[in-house]
């Protein structure tokens, strides 16, 4: 059905627009798409989890057992600090970080002992908060005694409020490792520790590569560190040790891609990533564009070259392959949101499928509009199955045309009046059309009291000519039954003449956008009409043309009426009267 097909340039334009939208979303993500991309990153973190070995950081937790064994009440645990640092110094820890504020020392001696322990130990960083943006004060929430302790040049400060929440305003995924306020640079807690160890610090917004809630990191209760066996020292040797809270009452939980996570665990993930040079960097724009275009073209290729159900399986296989590639890239430190290539592949496959489905639906509506009321349900289904075989734009085909007309209709209509005439016509048409449909014909039109039917267009069958002849014969038989009923009802009986002609016709859609119909024209149509008129003259109810007779002569009994002059034709036409079917 060429005339109903969507132009190829429009399909290509639609796909290019779709690809452009995908590229725009790649380079300039919409918030909803960005959230889906972040969700895919969260899924990766859950899958990646604790499978990655992390040997550079140990987390020491201040938990309930620590306070019980140390016989201290929260938050009076300053006396533990010196012991912790001394133990880690003996174990030759690489660096120490306290993700907890330094509370007021109980005495000057305790404060001095703490400072001395820090000076004798490895690099030390304590967590602090940034000053207000409009404040000249160095830091907030610092007591005088605490300020005196941290004034030591060996006690370095790292800032814990550089974390940037995600699009949902809650989930921690990124942070700034440094910031600048009033011409002063501030390093985050993790960045400060790493800078003391001469580890390179990225300048851009840092994406935290979480590896599970504890990131595969070693964890030890502070009680074990203080009161555990000496052979535990090897766990801390040459490692960065972070001390932080491990109980809910510290109110230090944060939402992360791997669940609710304590602040010290977040810092541990960051430090492990910086030490091990593990980070997730976004792929470049060129690769992002290719990650859209290549799957898009692949989806189109699968749609055009592979038939279902194999195409479904192939698309599913490539979906898993894309997920595998994105995971491998992420393990290698490159982040390509899988949503982009996955959507591109599905768009490449589904877009032409949707266009085809819509196209088929539109074709079905047009075909139903043109033929639904004029052919039997069986023929209509055959037409729908073979829509590509239709030539709605107009073509020459061989067909058989049937014309049937009521004799004396004008006189009868004057006697019956409009209501009576329409009642008999509707009953007559119902009987005749049923015969036409049963034999696979198409009702072309009603012309007043006349019926025109076509056999062979738009849907051709091998025995169309015989079907047409059989229809004419059965119409005369059905008319006898109808006349019996009309006679019993006191109504006038009907008499009809039928002409059949076989040959080439021109068939196709004619009309305008507001009104169109499938029509047939040509000499064959005119000849059938003339033969129907000739039935009055020769007193034979069914007349066949020479071509019609030649096609069915082994299946019918006829009366050879010889050559007859046909109005509108210069040459005479050999005519046959149908007597019976064999």
């Amino acid at each position: 059905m060429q005339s109903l097909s969507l132009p190829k340039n429009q399909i290509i334009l639609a796909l290019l627009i779709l690809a452009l939208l995908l590229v725009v979303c790649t380079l300039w993500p919409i918030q909803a798409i960005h959230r889906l991309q972040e969700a895919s990153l969260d899924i990766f973190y859950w899958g990646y989890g604790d499978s990655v070995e992390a040997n550079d950081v140990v987390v020491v937790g201040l938990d309930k057992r620590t306070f019980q064994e140390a016989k201290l009440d929260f938050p009076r645990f300053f006396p533990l600090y010196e012991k912790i640092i001394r133990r880690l110094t003996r174990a030759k820890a690489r660096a120490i970080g306290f993700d907890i504020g330094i509370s007021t020392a109980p005495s000057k001696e305790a404060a001095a002992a703490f400072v001395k322990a820090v000076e004798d130990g490895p690099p030390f960083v304590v967590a602090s908060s940034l000053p207000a943006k409009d404040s000249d004060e160095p830091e907030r929430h610092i007591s005088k005694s605490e300020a005196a302790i941290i004034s030591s040049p060996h006690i370095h400060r790292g800032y814990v409020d550089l974390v940037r929440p995600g699009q949902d305003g809650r989930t921690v995924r990124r942070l700034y490792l440094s910031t600048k306020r009033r011409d002063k640079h501030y390093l985050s807690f993790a960045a400060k520790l790493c800078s003391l160890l001469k580890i390179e610090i990225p300048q851009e917004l840092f994406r935290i590569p979480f590896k599970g809630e504890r990131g595969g990191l070693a964890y030890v209760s502070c009680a074990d560190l203080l009161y555990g066996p000496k052979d535990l020292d090897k766990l801390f040797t040459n490692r960065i040790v972070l001390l932080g809270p491990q109980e809910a009452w510290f109110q230090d939980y944060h939402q992360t891609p791997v669940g609710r996570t304590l602040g010290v665990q977040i810092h541990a993930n960051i430090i492990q990533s910086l030490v091990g040079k593990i980070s997730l960097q976004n792929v470049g724009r060129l690769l992002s564009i290719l990650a859209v275009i290549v799957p898009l073209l692949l989806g189109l290729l699968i749609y055009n070259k592979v038939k279902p159900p194999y195409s479904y399986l192939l698309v599913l296989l490539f979906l898993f392959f894309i997920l595998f590639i994105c995971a491998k890239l992420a393990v290698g430190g490159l982040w390509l949101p899988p949503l982009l290539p996955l959507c591109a592949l599905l768009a490449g496959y589904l877009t032409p499928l949707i266009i085809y489905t819509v196209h088929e639906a539109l074709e079905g509506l047009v075909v139903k509009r043109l033929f639904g009321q004029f052919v039997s349900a069986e023929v209509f289904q055959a037409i729908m199955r073979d829509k590509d075989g239709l030539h709605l734009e107009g073509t020459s085909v061989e067909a058989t045309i049937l014309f049937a007309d009521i004799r004396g209709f004008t006189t009868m209509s004057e006697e019956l009046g409009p209501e009576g005439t329409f009642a008999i016509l509707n009953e007559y048409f119902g009987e005749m059309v049923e015969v036409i449909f049963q034999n696979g014909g198409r009702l072309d039109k009603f012309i007043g009291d006349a019926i025109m039917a076509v056999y062979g267009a738009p849907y051709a069958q091998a025995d169309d000519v015989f079907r047409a002849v059989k229809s004419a014969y059965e119409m005369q038989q059905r008319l006898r039954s109808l006349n019996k009923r009309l006679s019993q009802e006191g109504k006038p009986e009907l008499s009809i003449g039928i002409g059949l002609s076989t040959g080439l016709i021109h068939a196709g859609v004619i009309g305008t956008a507001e009104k169109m119909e499938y029509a047939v024209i040509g000499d064959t149509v005119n000849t059938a009409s003339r033969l129907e008129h000739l039935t009055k003259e020769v007193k034979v109810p069914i007349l066949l043309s020479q071509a019609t007779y030649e096609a069915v002569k082994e299946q019918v009994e006829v009366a050879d009426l010889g050559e007859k002059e046909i109005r509108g034709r210069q040459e005479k036409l050999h005519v046959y009267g149908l007597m019976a079917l064999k």
Side-chain angles (χ1 to χ4, degrees), residues 4-195:
L4 294 180
S5 298
L6 294 176
K8 290 184 178 179
N9 59 343
Q10 291 187 15
I11 296 176
I12 293 173
L13 178 62
L15 295 179
L16 288 177
I17 292 174
L18 179 60
L20 180 62
L21 289 174
L22 288 171
V23 171
V24 169
C25 292
T26 304
L27 303 182
W28 198 348
I30 301 171
Q31 186 175 10
I33 296 176
H34 185 69
R35 287 185 177 181
L36 289 175
Q37 292 175 354
E38 295 288 13
S40 64
L41 180 61
D42 295 349
I43 294 172
F44 167 74
Y45 285 143
W46 275 108
Y48 200 36
D50 295 333
S51 61
V52 176
E53 187 177 2
N55 297 320
D56 298 292
V57 182
V58 177
V59 175
V60 175
L62 283 170
D63 53 14
K64 186 176 181 180
R65 187 162 69 92
T66 301
F67 298 122
Q68 289 175 343
E69 295 192 18
K71 297 180 181 179
L72 294 173
D73 296 326
F74 175 81
R76 297 183 178 87
F77 36 75
F78 186 90
L80 299 179
Y81 291 165
E82 179 193 359
K83 297 179 181 179
I84 293 170
I85 295 173
R86 294 291 184 189
R87 174 69 187 269
L88 294 175
T89 300
R90 288 198 308 271
K92 298 181 180 181
R94 188 178 179 185
I96 302 172
F98 274 25
D99 183 28
I100 190 168
I102 301 176
S103 59
T104 304
S107 64
K108 291 183 179 180
E109 291 76 12
F114 171 75
V115 172
K116 183 66 168 87
V118 172
E119 292 175 351
D120 294 341
F124 178 84
V125 176
V126 64
S128 298
S129 297
L130 287 170
K133 291 184 178 180
D134 56 351
S135 173
D136 291 325
E137 296 297 323
E139 281 86 18
R140 296 169 288 168
H141 313 305
I142 304 295
S143 64
K144 291 183 179 179
S145 56
E146 187 177 0
I149 293 173
I150 63 177
S151 62
S152 168
H154 296 278
I155 299 177
H156 303 278
R157 306 181 67 180
Y159 298 90
V160 296
D161 40 7
L162 298 180
V163 172
R164 178 183 175 184
Q167 291 282 337
D168 57 6
R170 299 184 303 111
T171 306
V172 174
R173 293 185 175 93
R174 300 172 178 80
L175 86 162
Y176 292 100
L177 294 174
S178 65
T179 190
K180 185 177 181 180
R181 291 190 182 176
R182 294 184 177 272
D183 298 325
K184 184 177 179 181
H185 286 277
Y186 297 88
L187 289 177
S188 72
F189 177 74
K192 187 64 178 180
L193 264 170
C194 291
S195 68

Side-chain angles (χ1 to χ4, degrees), residues 228-428:
K230 290 185 178 181
D231 59 2
L232 193 64
D233 287 355
K234 60 184 179 182
L235 179 65
F236 309 109
T237 301
N238 201 34
R239 290 185 176 181
I240 300 169
V241 181
L242 301 184
L243 176 71
Q246 292 293 314
E247 296 293 345
W249 63 64
F250 284 95
Q251 298 183 350
D252 193 31
Y253 276 101
H254 304 270
Q255 187 66 36
T256 71
V258 293
R260 293 180 70 248
T261 307
L262 283 162
V264 67
Q265 298 290 349
I266 296 176
H267 297 307
N269 272 278
I270 298 169
I271 293 170
Q272 180 61 55
S273 301
L274 294 174
V275 174
K277 296 183 178 181
I278 302 170
S279 62
L280 280 176
Q281 302 297 325
N282 287 324
V283 297
R285 290 194 172 185
L286 178 60
L287 188 55
S288 295
I289 293 174
L290 289 176
V292 172
I293 294 176
V294 172
L296 183 68
L297 295 177
L298 180 62
L300 287 170
L301 184 65
I302 293 174
Y303 177 82
N304 288 315
K305 299 297 183 182
V306 185
K307 294 182 179 180
Y310 302 107
S311 61
Y312 304 150
L313 296 176
L314 197 57
V315 168
L316 186 63
L317 178 65
F318 274 107
L319 288 176
F320 282 109
F321 180 72
I322 288 172
L323 290 174
F324 173 76
I325 292 297
C326 290
K328 292 293 287 185
L329 287 173
V331 172
L334 287 176
W335 178 243
L336 173 64
L339 180 68
L340 297 174
L342 290 177
C343 288
L345 177 65
L346 291 174
Y349 182 80
L350 294 178
T351 299
L353 181 62
I354 292 172
I355 291 175
Y356 173 79
T357 303
V358 173
H359 183 195
E360 287 287 293
L362 292 176
E363 282 188 341
L365 290 175
V366 173
V367 172
K368 186 173 183 179
R369 177 182 173 186
L370 292 174
F371 305 115
Q373 297 180 356
F374 305 105
V375 295
S376 66
E378 180 182 350
V379 172
F380 180 73
Q381 292 301 323
I383 291 174
M384 292 298 294
R385 287 194 298 269
D386 189 29
K387 293 193 297 296
D388 293 339
L390 297 177
H391 299 281
L392 300 184
E393 71 279 7
T395 188
S396 295
V397 296
E398 184 169 298
T400 299
I401 307 299
L402 180 151
F403 264 95
D405 189 31
I406 299 176
R407 300 285 172 260
F409 177 74
T410 303
T411 303
M412 183 188 70
S413 61
E414 290 175 353
E415 294 176 357
L416 294 176
E419 292 184 2
T421 300
F422 274 92
I424 286 184
L425 274 181
N426 287 333
E427 194 170 359
Y428 162 72

